[in-house]
Amino acid sequence: MAEYCIKTDEIKEYANRLKAGDSVYLSGVVYTSRDAAHKRIFEILKNGGELPFEIEGASIYYAGPTPTQPGCVIGSCGPTTSGRMDKFAPKLLDLGLASMIGKGPRNKEVCEAVVRNKSVYFCAIGGAGALCSKSIVSCEEIAFFDLGCESVKRLEFKNFPVIVGIDCNGGNLF
């Protein structure tokens, strides 16, 4: 297993080198999106509207941070179960999504879309949200404000630890 330090805007460039099980420290922009936000994103796509962020080359973190405490950038921010977004992921990958970050296995259609689009599924450490938040240096709520913790947020990671769960060559930890 290899170890990499990668900027999020370099994920597509690195995708062919990454193998399931590799350790990666991610730095750069990532967007949070969970169940409710994914539903709204798909409503926008269905109606031909403009998404709250550029999907081409983006990274989505399946997370809903807890409220921010005074003096902190963000509250606890651990991954949620990725499988709940499986019905949405193939379309987003086909639109250019570079990576997804969450926890747990993905269905066959997501695995095929990761390979087809030369993307990556990263796994973050479940149950360690407070630790994960230490690698987040900025947080800005950008869309669907009424969704509270499930609103879309623009995060900036600095050496956020993940493991390659599914690589673009078909390697799969699960």
Side-chain angles (χ1 to χ4, degrees):
M1 304 299 161
E3 185 173 290
Y4 297 89
C5 292
I6 300 174
K7 293 182 181 172
T8 54
D9 61 1
E10 300 173 330
I11 290 171
K12 287 285 194 173
E13 177 184 323
Y14 273 87
N16 274 322
R17 289 183 249 175
L18 298 174
K19 305 291 178 223
D22 285 350
S23 295
V24 176
Y25 293 93
L26 281 179
S27 296
V29 174
V30 174
Y31 299 94
T32 64
S33 186
R34 289 180 41 161
D35 314 57
H38 271 67
K39 287 178 186 171
R40 292 220 184 141
I41 286 169
F42 270 69
E43 287 173 19
I44 291 169
L45 288 170
K46 179 181 167 188
N47 295 319
E50 188 173 325
L51 296 179
F53 58 91
E54 176 61 47
I55 199 77
E56 178 70 37
S59 293
I60 290 179
Y61 183 26
Y62 303 136
T66 63
T68 304
Q69 298 299 311
C72 296
V73 171
I74 195 168
S76 181
C77 192
T80 195
T81 302
S82 302
R84 293 198 316 268
M85 273 56 75
D86 280 1
K87 64 184 172 186
F88 305 109
K91 171 81 171 173
L92 296 177
L93 290 162
D94 289 343
L95 290 172
L97 184 66
S99 74
M100 304 159 291
I101 305 162
K103 68 179 182 184
R106 308 305 297 270
N107 70 22
K108 179 182 176 192
E109 291 76 20
V110 174
C111 296
E112 290 170 350
V114 166
V115 171
R116 178 173 66 246
N117 292 287
K118 299 294 184 196
S119 301
V120 183
Y121 170 54
F122 294 110
C123 295
I125 303 165
L131 182 61
C132 291
S133 68
K134 293 180 186 292
S135 294
I136 300 171
V137 296
S138 72
C139 173
E140 176 189 6
E141 190 175 39
I142 63 167
F144 315 140
F145 306 105
D146 61 307
L147 296 180
C149 74
E150 287 201 42
S151 66
V152 174
K153 295 167 184 67
R154 181 187 184 278
L155 307 180
E156 187 173 344
F157 282 4
K158 183 172 182 186
N159 296 322
F160 189 94
V162 293
I163 304 250
V164 177
I166 302 169
D167 65 47
C168 72
N169 298 301
N172 188 331
L173 284 181
F174 305 98

